[in-house]
Amino acid sequence: VFLVLPIVQIVSTSVTPYSIPEEMKEGSVVANLASDLRLDVKTLNERKMRLDIVANKKYLDVNKETGELYIVEKIDRENICPSKSSASCYLRLEVTLENPLRIFNIEIEILDMNDNAPQFRRDAIHLDISESTPKGDRFSLSNAVDPDVGSNSVKTYHLSESEYFNIEVQTGRDGSKFADLILKKTLDREQQAVHHLTLTAVDGGKPARSGTASVIVHVLDTNDNTPTFDKSIYNVKIMENSPIGSLVLHLNATDLDEGSNSDITYSYSLYTSEKTQETFHLNPTSGEITVRGMLNYEDFNIYDMEVIATDKGANSLSGQCTIKILVEDMNDNHPELSIKSFQSPVSEDIKLDTVIAVVSVSDKDSGENGIVDLHIPDNMPFKLRESSDNYYELVVSEALDREKVPEYDITFTVTDRGSPPLSDNETMTLELLDVNDNVPQFPKSFYTIRVMENNAPGALLESLSAFDPDLHENQYLVYVIIEKEIANTSMSMLFSINPEDGKLYALKTFDYEIEKEFLFHIEARDSGSPPLSSNVSVHIIIVDQNDNAPVIVSPWRAHGSVVEEKIPRSTDKGSLVAKVIALDTDSVHNSRITYQFLQVTDATLFSLDQYNGEIRTMRMFSYRDPRHQRLVVVAKDNGEPALSATVTIKLSTEETAVKAYSDMTEVPLEYDIFSDLNLYLVIGLGSVSFLLLITILVTIVLKCQKAKPSKAAPPSRNSVISERNSTIADSTLVSNDAYWYSLFLAETRKGKLVVRQPVPKGSRYIVSSIPRGTGLTDTSDSAAST
């Protein structure tokens, strides 16, 4: 069985034409391709509709949704169809579809737009035209090019306004336009050498576009001008003896032509004498006239010459001028001086008006040029005195001092009165001999030297060097101490000075407490003849060291002993107990003494004034205060390091009145029980005791619940252990165990020993009873009972 299918034409033979202008914007719709090709828009995607790319650029594309042909990239007609042989420009494309395969031909004509302006191949057109060219001559100009075609191409040319030129527009065989430049007036290079014109090409588009080019016309020279000098006659003055090669005159002839027509050569005319040509040289190229031979005013003083300037044109032209040279006389001879006599060296004490030198002067010139003047510098102690014609004497006009100026360089200068003046000079050196006319000088008129006491013998104290501005033996100095006795002691026994360099030494160790200062003189004497001397005062001040400790003079006591004082026990607050006085033999600064307690039995009972050493009571004595107080006072000076001395004072208190009482009678002590310190102590002890009491009570209750009835309880607080015990009555109880004082209270006046707080079971304490009034302080004494 055979199936016969109809033959379908795949490639369409017809061409679908379109026409669009160039430079359309991107995205612009050209046509509905699906409609024009009678295609179903809905099947464009399924059939994979595509548009072939032309010249690797995709200028157009198809929207598969709408079937519209649109611009993808701007189309430039001149790029697609660069040739101007045809006015038409086409873009041929193929549209391909599949299922079934179909190919359609599309032809798009690109219409030209006037988007290009005419352009010249060169921005500047250069023309060379001779100034002798007749008017009416033509000169070709390069034409402008416009990529556009048809009416948009170049249509005409315009020339900027000119007095000498215009243009004529021509049409070529291919229809292109070009212009010829026509000379309408003869040129003159000397008036205007270059003409600047503007040529404009205009196309036929709407609106029209144009392009410009500069036309530069260079006018070529012809030799139609003669050389001309600045002046027709030159008058020149030159000094005689001008050196060979000196410039006399620079001629400058000008020619309005250019090139070889303006190149000028200079030459002497036939009327110039040989003498003049031998004396002066004329440079043929530059026109400089220089000196060739020696000029002497006395031989020849006027020179006349004629100079011709000729150009180098084909038909050379020339001009001439006249020059008169006047030779002027000049001051060409230098004055001369001669030293006939010169005395050097001379003593610095030379007398005034003494002749030092004799000088003669001369000048070979005559007139003003032959008159000469001689002088020396103004700042010198000399003057010139004319002795005869052209002879001068140099004399001393001021006193000389070698120490200020040891020598003088005297310059003799001789000058004539010519114009310009000439001069000559000669320098002589005058040396001065020294005279012993200066006494030695110390830098100071008075020396104050501080020496620390206890110095080492031979110690250097000061260098007392003097200065003598004289020379040699007149400046060699010897130093001596001018003898002076103080307390039958010579200064040379205390001090020594080096006679050569003036160094002062101490010969002994000084003690400020014995010797505090010395005043003497030192003399410096030179070795001149006669010798001169001067002296200087020296004040030696011995500086104190803190080498003496304070000595306590009150209260007096033997060395190492203790001072004992007795005071009433009823002494009021602020009463003077004792006064410590110490002395220090050092200087005021080191001897300033301050007092301090080093040890004190009760710091709340006594005060010490640190400046006057007074010991006063700070409060009244209480019955609890011991009868014996021990005070250790230190007296310290103000030195560095500080020195000190101490004194120990034992104070014993005693009753002011003694009465007999029965054993049961108590004698109360009067004291301020409610002083500030006691009040604070009572409050503090009360608070602590209250807390301690609560703690003890709780502890006792707990222990009593567990305790056996047969065992006796320890003494409770405030229990009286001993009452009216003769051992503790009127005595002081002392224990080596500090804890004892917190457990018991001895009411010695009542003869009672009271428990302060519960005593631990099995405790054992050793207590000594010391009778009052015995002065004992510890339990080692034999009078104490245990």
Side-chain angles (χ1 to χ4, degrees):
V1 179
F2 294 93
L3 181 61
V4 180
L5 297 176
I7 299 175
V8 180
Q9 186 176 0
I10 297 176
V11 180
S12 176
T13 57
S14 63
V15 176
T16 305
Y18 295 100
S19 178
I20 62 171
E22 64 174 331
E23 303 292 339
M24 287 184 70
K25 293 182 179 180
E26 296 175 1
S28 300
V29 177
V30 176
N32 193 315
L33 198 59
S35 176
D36 294 341
L37 298 180
R38 298 179 182 179
L39 299 175
D40 187 0
V41 175
K42 298 178 181 179
T43 62
L44 296 182
N45 280 323
E46 296 177 359
R47 299 184 64 183
K48 298 180 182 180
M49 183 179 186
R50 63 180 179 275
L51 196 65
D52 290 344
I53 298 173
V54 179
N56 294 326
K57 282 191 178 182
K58 193 172 184 180
Y59 291 103
L60 298 101
D61 201 356
V62 178
N63 189 333
K64 297 177 182 179
E65 300 295 333
T66 61
E68 292 177 342
L69 180 66
Y70 64 93
I71 302 296
V72 176
E73 182 179 346
K74 281 186 178 183
I75 300 174
D76 188 356
R77 180 188 178 282
E78 286 72 29
N79 288 336
I80 298 175
C81 304
S83 176
K84 297 184 66 177
S85 59
S86 175
S88 300
C89 179
Y90 294 96
L91 186 62
R92 293 178 175 82
L93 305 175
E94 289 182 352
V95 178
T96 304
L97 294 94
E98 297 180 0
N99 300 321
L101 180 62
R102 294 291 303 276
I103 298 175
F104 299 94
N105 294 320
I106 299 174
E107 185 177 78
I108 300 175
E109 182 182 6
I110 309 301
L111 302 178
D112 183 43
M113 300 289 292
N114 190 22
D115 57 345
N116 293 283
Q119 290 185 346
F120 289 90
R121 293 182 177 85
R122 290 178 296 175
D123 293 335
I125 303 171
H126 293 270
L127 295 177
D128 294 332
I129 303 176
S130 175
E131 63 177 330
S132 61
T133 301
K135 64 179 180 179
D137 277 10
R138 291 173 174 267
F139 303 93
S140 296
L141 300 176
S142 61
N143 62 324
V145 176
D146 193 330
D148 295 327
V149 296
S151 61
N152 293 329
S153 62
V154 177
K155 291 299 180 184
T156 186
Y157 293 90
H158 301 288
L159 185 66
S160 59
E161 185 177 352
S162 173
E163 180 183 355
Y164 296 92
F165 300 97
N166 59 16
I167 60 171
E168 186 177 303
V169 180
Q170 303 289 336
T171 302
R173 293 181 180 179
D174 57 354
S176 62
K177 303 290 184 179
F178 60 90
D180 288 338
L181 184 66
I182 301 176
L183 180 64
K184 62 180 182 179
K185 183 179 178 181
T186 55
L187 302 174
D188 188 351
R189 193 203 62 80
E190 288 71 34
Q191 291 183 2
Q192 186 173 353
V194 180
H195 295 265
H196 295 276
L197 307 173
T198 301
L199 181 62
T200 304
V202 183
D203 63 19
K206 292 184 180 181
R209 292 178 177 267
S210 63
T212 61
S214 297
V215 179
I216 303 173
V217 178
H218 299 274
V219 182
L220 302 180
D221 182 51
T222 58
N223 192 20
D224 55 350
N225 292 280
T226 60
T228 304
F229 287 94
D230 297 336
K231 301 178 182 177
S232 59
I233 298 176
Y234 291 89
N235 292 316
V236 182
K237 293 182 180 180
I238 186 170
M239 297 299 298
E240 68 170 327
N241 298 326
S242 294
I244 304 299
S246 298
L247 179 65
V248 178
L249 178 63
H250 187 181
L251 295 174
N252 183 24
T254 58
D255 193 322
L256 298 179
D257 295 324
E258 67 175 1
S260 60
N261 296 330
S262 64
D263 294 338
I264 298 174
T265 57
Y266 301 89
S267 61
Y268 287 119
S269 71
L270 298 176
Y271 299 103
T272 303
S273 65
E274 292 184 2
K275 172 66 176 177
T276 300
Q277 295 185 35
E278 292 175 355
T279 307
F280 300 96
H281 173 261
L282 174 61
N283 189 312
T285 303
S286 63
E288 292 181 349
I289 300 176
T290 56
V291 177
R292 175 180 285 179
M294 291 300 297
L295 298 177
N296 194 329
Y297 175 82
E298 290 73 21
D299 294 341
F300 210 85
N301 54 27
I302 298 177
Y303 295 89
D304 293 313
M305 64 182 71
E306 285 186 357
V307 175
I308 299 174
T310 306
D311 62 26
K312 296 182 180 179
N315 298 318
S316 60
L317 301 177
S318 63
Q320 67 179 23
C321 68
T322 301
I323 302 171
K324 179 177 287 188
I325 299 176
L326 304 177
V327 179
E328 293 184 339
D329 186 26
M330 66 176 297
N331 187 22
D332 55 350
N333 291 291
H334 288 261
E336 297 177 355
L337 64 87
S338 175
I339 307 297
K340 301 299 182 182
S341 172
F342 189 79
Q343 183 181 355
S344 179
V346 297
S347 176
E348 65 174 320
D349 61 350
I350 188 172
K351 294 181 179 180
L352 298 180
D353 214 31
T354 302
V355 177
I356 301 297
V358 177
V359 182
S360 67
V361 296
S362 61
D363 195 322
K364 295 179 182 180
D365 291 325
S366 59
E368 289 292 325
N369 295 334
I371 300 176
V372 296
D373 298 306
L374 180 66
H375 61 273
I376 59 173
D378 295 334
N379 57 347
M380 287 191 171
F382 309 101
K383 66 179 181 180
L384 288 171
R385 182 173 63 195
E386 189 173 2
S387 59
S388 60
D389 291 343
N390 296 330
Y391 278 84
Y392 294 87
E393 293 177 346
L394 180 68
V395 296
V396 180
S397 60
E398 299 176 13
L400 305 181
D401 189 350
R402 188 208 62 80
E403 286 72 33
K404 293 182 179 179
V405 182
E407 65 179 20
Y408 292 91
D409 290 328
I410 306 173
T411 301
F412 298 92
T413 303
V414 57
T415 307
D416 61 24
R417 299 182 184 179
S419 180
L422 299 179
S423 63
D424 193 11
N425 62 74
E426 187 171 347
T427 300
M428 304 295 291
T429 300
L430 176 64
E431 297 181 3
L432 300 183
L433 298 176
D434 183 50
V435 175
N436 191 23
D437 55 350
N438 292 278
V439 298
Q441 296 292 330
F442 285 93
K444 302 178 182 177
S445 61
F446 190 88
Y447 283 86
T448 300
I449 305 173
R450 296 183 179 272
V451 180
M452 187 67 68
E453 69 171 328
N454 302 320
N455 61 292
L460 175 64
L461 303 183
E462 187 70 50
S463 180
L464 307 174
S465 299
F467 171 73
D468 193 325
D470 292 324
L471 290 178
H472 308 306
E473 68 275 0
N474 295 332
Q475 71 171 170
Y476 297 148
L477 302 181
V478 177
Y479 301 90
V480 295
I481 297 176
I482 299 177
E483 288 296 336
K484 180 181 179 181
E485 290 189 359
I486 299 178
N488 298 325
T489 302
S490 173
M491 287 295 104
S492 59
M493 299 176 63
L494 302 176
F495 303 97
S496 172
I497 190 168
N498 190 316
E500 295 181 355
D501 57 16
K503 291 183 177 178
L504 184 64
Y505 299 90
L507 297 180
K508 59 168 289 187
T509 300
F510 297 106
D511 188 350
Y512 172 82
E513 287 71 31
I514 299 175
E515 304 151 321
K516 290 183 172 56
E517 62 179 356
F518 302 94
L519 182 64
F520 56 92
H521 295 84
I522 292 178
E523 179 184 76
R525 181 172 60 250
D526 62 25
S527 302
S529 181
L532 300 177
S533 64
S534 64
N535 59 64
V536 65
S537 298
V538 179
H539 185 201
I540 304 293
I541 298 176
I542 307 302
V543 181
D544 181 44
Q545 278 187 333
N546 191 29
D547 56 348
N548 292 282
V551 176
I552 296 176
V553 298
S554 178
W556 186 90
R557 87 270 188 235
H559 182 71
S561 63
V562 177
V563 177
E564 294 187 358
E565 297 285 349
K566 293 183 178 181
I567 60 172
R569 195 168 182 84
S570 60
T571 301
D572 294 333
K573 176 182 178 181
S575 299
L576 179 65
V577 176
K579 183 172 183 177
V580 180
I581 301 175
L583 299 178
D584 194 322
T585 57
D586 288 325
S587 62
V588 176
H589 179 75
N590 293 328
S591 64
R592 189 179 297 116
I593 298 174
T594 57
Y595 302 90
Q596 298 175 3
F597 277 131
L598 189 62
Q599 294 180 9
V600 60
T601 303
D602 190 344
T604 66
L605 190 56
F606 300 101
S607 66
L608 173 63
D609 191 303
Q610 63 174 340
Y611 298 112
N612 57 26
E614 293 181 351
I615 301 175
R616 294 182 181 272
T617 57
M618 295 176 63
R619 59 178 175 82
M620 295 182 63
F621 287 93
S622 68
Y623 75 93
R624 295 183 180 181
D625 294 326
R627 289 183 176 275
H628 302 284
Q629 301 285 335
R630 186 170 183 270
L631 309 178
V632 180
V633 179
V634 59
K636 185 184 298 182
D637 62 22
N638 197 41
E640 184 64 36
L643 301 178
S644 64
T646 60
V647 60
T648 302
I649 302 175
K650 278 189 175 181
L651 293 178
S652 300
T653 60
E654 60 184 8
E655 302 295 340
T656 56
V658 180
K659 296 182 180 180
Y661 293 91
S662 62
D663 292 343
M664 299 302 294
T665 304
E666 294 183 8
V667 179
L669 293 176
E670 294 181 359
Y671 60 93
D672 187 7
I673 194 170
F674 289 101
S675 64
D676 293 341
L677 180 61
N678 289 343
L679 182 61
Y680 296 148
L681 291 175
V682 168
I683 294 173
L685 290 175
S687 301
V688 174
S689 300
F690 178 74
L691 295 175
L692 184 62
L693 180 60
I694 294 175
T695 304
I696 293 174
L697 291 175
V698 173
T699 304
I700 292 174
V701 171
L702 294 176
K703 286 186 176 182
C704 288
Q705 291 177 355
K706 298 179 180 181
K708 295 180 180 181
S710 60
K711 294 184 179 179
S716 62
R717 184 178 180 184
N718 296 327
S719 299
V720 178
I721 298 178
S722 175
E723 184 173 356
R724 295 308 303 166
N725 190 324
S726 61
T727 304
I728 65 175
D730 295 326
S731 62
T732 301
L733 298 184
V734 180
S735 174
N736 291 330
D737 192 338
Y739 186 51
W740 182 85
Y741 294 100
S742 65
L743 297 176
F744 302 98
L745 173 64
E747 297 182 0
T748 56
R749 292 293 183 185
K750 299 179 180 180
K752 295 180 180 180
L753 184 64
V754 183
V755 177
R756 289 178 180 270
Q757 55 183 341
V759 181
K761 181 181 179 181
S763 300
R764 185 172 182 271
Y765 303 96
I766 299 176
V767 182
S768 297
S769 174
I770 302 174
R772 288 197 177 98
T774 61
L776 301 180
T777 59
D778 53 43
T779 59
S780 63
D781 295 324
S782 59
S785 61
T786 302

